[in-house]
Amino acid sequence: MSGWPREVDFRQLRFGVELEFAETDASRVVLPRGWSLDPSERMLAMTGEFSGGEIKPSPLRWAQREGIAAGLRAIAEAGGVVNWSCGLHVHVDLASWGSAVLPAVLEAALQTQSALRELFATAEHRMLYCPAVTAAQCDAHAADPCEAALRHAGRPEAARSGINVSAWYDFGTVELRYPNATLDPESALRCVELCLRWVSAVGAGVSLPSEAQALAAALDMPGTGYPPPHPQPVWHRREEQLTELMIPILQPMCMAERPGARILFVRPTPEGLYVKTDSGNEVNHRFWFRPHAAGFELLRIEDPPLSDIGGGGQPGSQTPSQ
């Protein structure tokens, strides 16, 4: 049975977590039974090299929550750590309500997303990967309920808001992307419980407050104790600043060569400026530009083979999802 509103105890909701980590080879992680490694997800080490990855369990219920501690131990035992490039994402199953709950989830996102971000102390640099749900998206989804209505313009993951309702169309869930990464089981479970209680309240038709501490109280959750943010290295902040500066200059040149090629990031290399783009469906074209007195010269373009869908933070690497 499904439909909205409907009261469902948060302990009965199925959920999943995505635990991101860095500074080790993901193949070293001995996965607990029922867990899997996503080979397409890579994080950044302090050296700037890609490392680590993301592990996730089969869907759990609250009574099975100790499985999260096992996943975190497996990461630590493999030498993994969490840093600024990692996040903790919580997927909550919406099957108890079905698609009827989506307008309520979107409305609750508009009302409470700032409060959730404050409670989770989401690092400022991670907000690039957690953009806000907008009123325009809600209106577009009401007029034409589909994943495309929930997309953002710009980089780097246009479909994924901090409260990612588009996950319904792929997994039947809503994904909350705000928590910072942690290897501490207690703070990780606190994140999961807050997300479950939020979804349970929205599913029951509860009107939630927009102030952080009031929201925590309404959900019977503590207002503190969630994973703290990890400082972003200066070199990475400079690379992000370079990207923001170069997009207005290089975006038209990329679009002229490959229509729809949206810049994800720009990185300096010995060969010149390396530009990774997304042309939709995670098809990544790669450009190299060289500065000269009259502007920028396009050196070459690498078009992806059909087998390279979604690939390439740099040649041969994957983009960190943060």
Side-chain angles (χ1 to χ4, degrees):
M1 184 179 73
S2 63
W4 181 86
R6 181 186 175 203
E7 291 189 9
V8 180
D9 190 300
F10 79 91
R11 301 172 187 85
Q12 300 305 313
L13 295 174
R14 296 200 315 164
F15 68 91
V17 293
E18 297 169 356
L19 304 178
E20 296 178 342
F21 61 97
E23 304 290 353
T24 191
D25 188 327
S27 65
R28 296 182 57 192
V29 178
V30 179
L31 295 170
R33 184 176 182 180
W35 285 67
S36 62
L37 170 72
D38 187 340
S40 71
E41 298 291 349
R42 302 289 301 281
M43 304 300 124
L44 285 169
M46 291 301 294
T47 61
E49 300 296 322
F50 285 85
S51 69
E54 171 188 291
I55 64 172
K56 48 194 173 185
S58 300
L60 304 171
R61 283 193 169 88
W62 189 244
Q64 302 165 305
R65 62 190 179 278
E66 288 305 316
I68 296 174
L72 295 172
R73 282 196 302 271
I75 292 171
E77 289 169 359
V81 303
V82 293
N83 65 16
W84 90 98
S85 74
C86 306
L88 188 162
H89 305 156
V90 182
H91 283 261
V92 183
D93 187 15
L94 297 179
S96 297
W97 303 278
S99 61
V101 78
L102 297 184
V105 174
L106 287 167
E107 184 62 32
L110 286 177
Q111 179 74 7
T112 65
Q113 58 192 345
S114 294
L116 284 172
R117 177 189 171 186
E118 182 177 338
L119 287 171
F120 286 128
T122 310
E124 182 63 35
H125 65 269
R126 290 191 59 241
M127 291 307 297
L128 180 64
Y129 300 87
C130 304
V133 173
T134 68
Q137 287 176 318
C138 295
D139 292 343
H141 191 267
D144 182 14
C146 63
E147 183 180 13
L150 301 175
R151 290 186 172 272
H152 294 271
R155 71 183 187 104
E157 296 182 87
R160 301 182 183 183
S161 296
I163 300 175
N164 179 26
V165 184
S166 68
W168 163 261
Y169 294 95
D170 292 323
F171 310 112
T173 66
V174 58
E175 178 192 20
L176 290 92
R177 298 171 57 83
Y178 289 125
N180 301 303
T182 183
L183 293 181
D184 174 56
E186 182 179 350
S187 58
L189 284 174
R190 190 165 293 169
C191 293
V192 171
E193 184 175 354
L194 178 57
C195 294
L196 290 172
R197 287 179 178 271
W198 185 87
V199 173
S200 177
V202 173
V206 175
S207 179
L208 294 171
S210 59
E211 189 275 328
Q213 294 306 311
L215 176 63
L219 296 175
D220 198 22
M221 289 294 297
T224 59
Y226 304 96
H230 304 277
Q232 182 186 28
V234 171
W235 63 263
H236 189 258
R237 185 164 66 248
R238 296 289 184 261
E239 287 190 342
E240 290 300 301
Q241 290 169 344
L242 174 66
T243 296
E244 294 298 328
L245 289 169
M246 296 309 302
I247 283 178
I249 300 169
L250 299 181
Q251 184 71 80
M253 300 174 69
C254 294
M255 297 281 280
E257 297 290 338
R258 299 292 185 271
R262 177 174 54 92
I263 291 179
L264 298 180
F265 59 73
V266 180
R267 298 290 184 260
T269 72
E271 185 177 354
L273 291 178
Y274 163 61
V275 179
K276 180 188 172 185
T277 69
D278 179 3
S279 298
N281 296 321
E282 298 184 350
V283 175
N284 304 123
H285 300 281
R286 303 178 179 92
F287 299 75
W288 278 261
F289 293 92
R290 180 171 58 201
H292 59 82
F296 288 87
E297 174 189 3
L298 176 60
L299 298 177
R300 61 188 175 95
I301 305 172
E302 285 188 4
D303 294 321
L306 293 177
S307 61
D308 193 34
I309 300 300
Q314 57 188 22
S317 300
Q318 298 291 329
T319 304
S321 68
Q322 302 204 24

